[in-house]
Amino acid sequence: MKLELGYIPIDNIKFAERSYVEGSTLYVSKEELSEVLMQDENILGLNFAIALPGDNTRITPVKDVIEPRVKVDGKGGMFPGVLSKVDIAGSGRTHVLKGAAVVTTGKIVGFQEGIIDMSGPGAEYTPFSKTCNLVLVITPKEDVVQHEHEYTVRMAGLRAAAYLGELARELEPETIETYEFLPLLESIEKYPDLPRVGYVQMLQSQGLLHDTYVYGVDAKRTLPTLISPTEVMDGAIISGNCVSACDKNPTYVHQNNPIVHDLFKRHGKDLNFCAMIITNENVYLADKIRSSDRTAEICGYLKLDGVIISEEGFGNPDTDLMMNCRKISDKGIKTVVITDEFAGRDGSSQSLADADPSCDALVTGGNANEVITLPRMDKVIGTEAYVGIIAGGWDKNKAEDGTIQVELQAITGATSEVGFGYLSAR
Amino acid sequence: MLIVSNNPMVEAAFGDSCVFVDGSAMDVLISVRDMLHKGHKLLSHPLAGSVKPYESPIRSVCVSKNKGAYDMQSVLLIENAIDKYKALPQRNFIENHDEDFQLIDLSLIQSAVESRLQDRQYTITQSGGAKYET
């Protein structure tokens, strides 16, 4: 499966009478975009805002971030099974408005979640301070219950990203990257001496506000399966996960998963990236056993030499992580797990809720309990009313001068468990 | 299956299947621990996913209705969870968000119950019917 990603660089967004791209500026017509989004009858009010790198702006509470793209050649459209008809993503050519992002914000439940600061110390922790963001502030009708509200916000973000992506259809990309994922036997024949490496991506799948969708299917109702990494790069997975801003994977991160990108970079050089497996993180213990069994069976069947496992979120998924690690290790396969830590504000508590002796190689995204102080911002998109009560904030955390104290976990993407962030020991 | 819970929404939804605990999330975990020592089996993970223990005052955990042999794995998981709760700082909860915490907790437990329904062990009875384990 061969995918070409054509990048059209964007370094500015402006509102205009009609929507188009000129040079590296994305012009957005609020009227045209409203027309697309207001087809959802649950939406009462819709506001748009622009947040650019360096702005004295805070976006909160953030739900999802999506990269605007368009399918120009090959099977399927954007987000097959969700926005476009069911098909296989991951081949042909996709154009990307690189540097632009759609950010959705709005209150769904009272204690949610996520801060993006476009400048200042907070900006150092979130990857989305570097993107030009079109922010959708969505107000639902009064009688819309929480799960419908989440669906409305999720779909609005995806529709807006597809609408903007469409503007790139006829444009000539500045750069084109090609990713090819070969059938297993061909890959082994081509690189007989390189170690066979697989990637197991765990998807958050616990229930309301904690869900991920694969080709539109709720991941909690799936068994672990093989998937081409180019499918994942091309919109096969979308996020409905609004919980734990620091270490959830927004849709943008699924589209740009650094583990996939880095494995492709090393592919054919010092390793053979020949399998990607997606699995879930369910509440029910038998599901955890079933999914980790199946994941390990697939890895064993493929006779992989090494596997990278990434977690999403924390708490009971730590148990899925350890089950996956132990069962894959039991097949004689080397493992590296990627997670983050909730080790208390001083870092002295146990980092994970579960552990296993087989987990002897671990990469951390950082300690999500670390406290930082964020300055007052001139402009707030969304509302700061929840900053005191979002995960990682606490009551009385706002000082008179407007500065706020939060744990890193309040910042979108701060301790990404796929490495889509800036915290590093380097 | 029994649901040990301090969540009024879970009690309202599951009635007799809910063992209601009038207390804190920690009290729920301790009630679960006591039941596991009496031979009930843990069916859902005692920790929440991505909602930190000290952030939510609400907790629900599924255990088997029937008692059987002492299940070491269940006991280890609950003791681990209790340790995790003790290790983290407590916070004053903000009253008017109780309902949101209750709703999230109810949703998570509903997903466990759906899994339980497709997972029930059964034996074929002499008359040819299926007898489900509770």
Side-chain angles (χ1 to χ4, degrees):
Chain A
M1 202 176 259
K2 195 171 175 178
L3 177 68
E4 288 180 343
L5 292 177
Y7 295 124
I8 292 116
I10 296 295
D11 59 16
N12 200 0
I13 302 182
K14 288 178 179 171
F15 290 124
E17 292 288 302
R18 62 182 183 90
S19 298
Y20 62 103
V21 175
E22 193 173 82
S24 55
T25 300
L26 169 61
Y27 294 89
V28 181
S29 158
K30 291 186 199 178
E31 290 71 29
E32 284 178 23
L33 183 51
S34 291
E35 216 167 285
V36 173
L37 301 183
M38 289 306 281
Q39 60 182 286
D40 185 334
E41 56 187 26
N42 284 337
I43 297 180
L44 176 71
L46 192 56
N47 280 310
F48 302 102
I50 291 167
L52 301 174
D55 283 358
N56 200 306
T57 299
R58 170 168 299 143
I59 314 169
T60 187
V62 172
K63 296 292 158 235
D64 197 12
V65 185
I66 310 107
E67 186 166 61
R69 293 174 167 204
V70 62
K71 195 87 207 156
V72 292
D73 180 42
K75 279 185 170 186
M78 261 306 105
F79 309 117
V82 182
L83 273 196
S84 56
K85 68 181 176 58
V86 177
D87 207 332
I88 294 286
S91 60
R93 190 198 275 198
T94 297
H95 284 178
V96 182
L97 290 176
K98 199 75 204 167
V102 172
V103 176
T104 50
T105 176
K107 169 192 181 285
I108 293 177
V109 291
F111 59 99
Q112 299 299 303
E113 186 99 0
I115 295 173
I116 296 174
D117 277 4
M118 300 307 290
S119 61
E124 304 294 318
Y125 290 95
T126 176
F128 304 111
S129 61
K130 308 283 192 288
T131 46
C132 300
N133 301 321
L134 179 73
V135 189
L136 312 183
V137 187
I138 297 154
T139 313
K141 288 186 180 154
E142 232 169 61
D143 55 347
V144 174
V145 295
Q146 284 92 335
H147 70 267
E148 283 177 15
H149 185 177
E150 189 280 320
Y151 175 80
T152 289
V153 173
R154 174 165 25 109
M155 293 304 288
L158 298 174
R159 284 192 186 112
Y163 166 82
L164 296 177
E166 193 62 41
L167 306 174
R169 183 178 287 281
E170 304 298 334
L171 299 178
E172 198 55 48
E174 187 180 277
T175 47
I176 296 174
E177 287 177 1
T178 304
Y179 297 91
E180 187 170 22
F181 191 71
L182 292 174
L184 181 70
L185 291 181
E186 278 180 43
S187 193
I188 293 171
E189 208 171 299
K190 195 169 174 187
Y191 304 109
D193 301 323
L194 294 179
R196 292 182 294 278
V197 173
Y199 170 35
V200 172
Q201 184 181 13
M202 295 167 53
L203 306 172
Q204 181 68 260
S205 60
Q206 307 245 319
L208 177 64
L209 303 176
H210 296 65
D211 285 317
T212 306
Y213 299 87
V214 181
Y215 286 116
V217 178
D218 186 342
K220 81 166 84 61
R221 295 280 163 254
T222 61
L223 274 177
T225 186
L226 281 163
I227 191 166
S228 164
T230 60
E231 290 174 76
V232 179
M233 293 171 121
D234 205 24
I237 302 178
I238 61 141
S239 170
N241 182 11
C242 306
V243 183
S244 194
C246 64
D247 61 5
K248 70 171 186 178
N249 295 325
T251 301
Y252 191 103
V253 172
H254 289 296
Q255 294 169 306
N256 291 280
N257 188 328
I259 298 174
V260 168
H261 278 259
D262 288 0
L263 282 170
F264 266 122
K265 264 186 214 156
R266 305 262 301 261
H267 175 65
K269 293 179 183 140
D270 55 356
L271 56 82
N272 180 2
F273 178 28
C274 61
M276 178 163 177
I277 298 152
I278 46 174
T279 181
N280 51 18
E281 302 173 348
N282 285 12
V283 174
Y284 193 61
L285 286 170
D287 286 341
K288 292 183 185 298
I289 295 166
R290 184 184 294 118
S291 290
S292 54
D293 281 348
R294 178 68 19 218
T295 301
E297 283 306 310
I298 295 172
C299 293
Y301 173 73
L302 299 176
K303 271 183 88 77
L304 298 174
D305 296 304
V307 167
I308 295 171
I309 310 166
S310 68
E311 187 183 8
E312 182 175 4
F314 64 93
N316 78 56
D318 293 353
T319 293
D320 300 87
L321 180 69
M322 290 304 147
M323 283 182 176
N324 283 326
C325 184
R326 187 184 81 239
K327 291 175 186 180
I328 294 169
S329 298
D330 283 349
K331 300 277 182 193
I333 299 167
K334 290 185 174 137
T335 58
V336 176
V337 311
I338 310 180
T339 180
D340 64 346
E341 301 174 65
F342 285 78
R345 287 179 187 164
D346 62 357
S348 68
S349 302
Q350 174 102 8
S351 299
L352 294 171
D354 208 333
D356 190 87
S358 68
C359 182
D360 54 5
L362 181 149
V363 179
T364 175
N367 178 15
N369 292 132
E370 196 180 315
V371 176
I372 63 161
T373 303
L374 301 176
R376 192 188 76 82
M377 287 281 166
D378 290 345
K379 183 177 175 187
V380 175
I381 304 173
T383 172
E384 269 186 348
Y386 306 108
V387 165
I389 39 184
I390 52 183
W394 58 92
D395 36 344
K396 299 194 187 89
N397 64 343
K398 193 166 181 177
E400 273 180 19
D401 63 357
T403 61
I404 52 172
Q405 276 198 315
V406 291
E407 293 183 2
L408 279 188
Q409 57 164 317
I411 298 177
T412 300
T415 61
S416 167
E417 292 168 289
V418 295
F420 198 82
Y422 299 122
L423 282 178
S424 169
R426 281 179 195 155
Chain B
M1 182 167 79
L2 296 173
I3 304 162
V4 187
S5 175
N6 66 348
N7 182 351
M9 280 192 196
V10 168
E11 190 189 27
F14 293 99
D16 288 347
S17 296
C18 177
V19 178
F20 189 74
V21 177
D22 189 9
S24 66
M26 183 62 131
D27 294 332
V28 171
L29 295 188
I30 288 168
S31 301
V32 169
R33 183 194 63 191
D34 293 350
M35 292 175 79
L36 298 184
H37 279 283
K38 287 175 187 158
H40 294 274
K41 199 175 169 201
L42 194 61
L43 294 177
S44 70
H45 200 289
L47 286 177
S50 293
V51 178
K52 290 239 303 255
Y54 63 82
E55 274 156 12
S56 174
I58 301 296
R59 196 74 206 113
S60 301
V61 180
C62 303
V63 300
S64 66
K65 190 172 177 185
N66 286 353
K67 287 189 268 189
Y70 179 80
D71 183 55
M72 193 53 166
Q73 191 59 35
S74 293
V75 173
L76 280 174
L77 276 169
I78 192 73
E79 290 292 353
N80 246 333
I82 289 171
D83 278 353
K84 202 72 194 160
Y85 263 68
K86 281 184 185 158
L88 291 164
Q90 295 303 306
R91 174 186 301 177
N92 296 325
F93 298 110
I94 295 158
E95 288 270 322
N96 56 355
H97 295 295
D98 257 20
E99 264 196 23
D100 287 338
F101 284 122
Q102 291 175 18
L103 183 79
I104 296 278
D105 178 72
L106 175 66
S107 159
L108 300 195
I109 231 59
Q110 277 166 337
S111 90
V113 169
E114 281 165 30
S115 286
R116 175 65 176 168
L117 289 176
Q118 68 187 24
D119 188 52
R120 277 194 298 186
Q121 305 286 312
Y122 62 90
T123 45
I124 304 297
T125 60
Q126 277 184 333
S127 59
K131 184 187 169 197
Y132 287 97
E133 192 189 277
T134 51

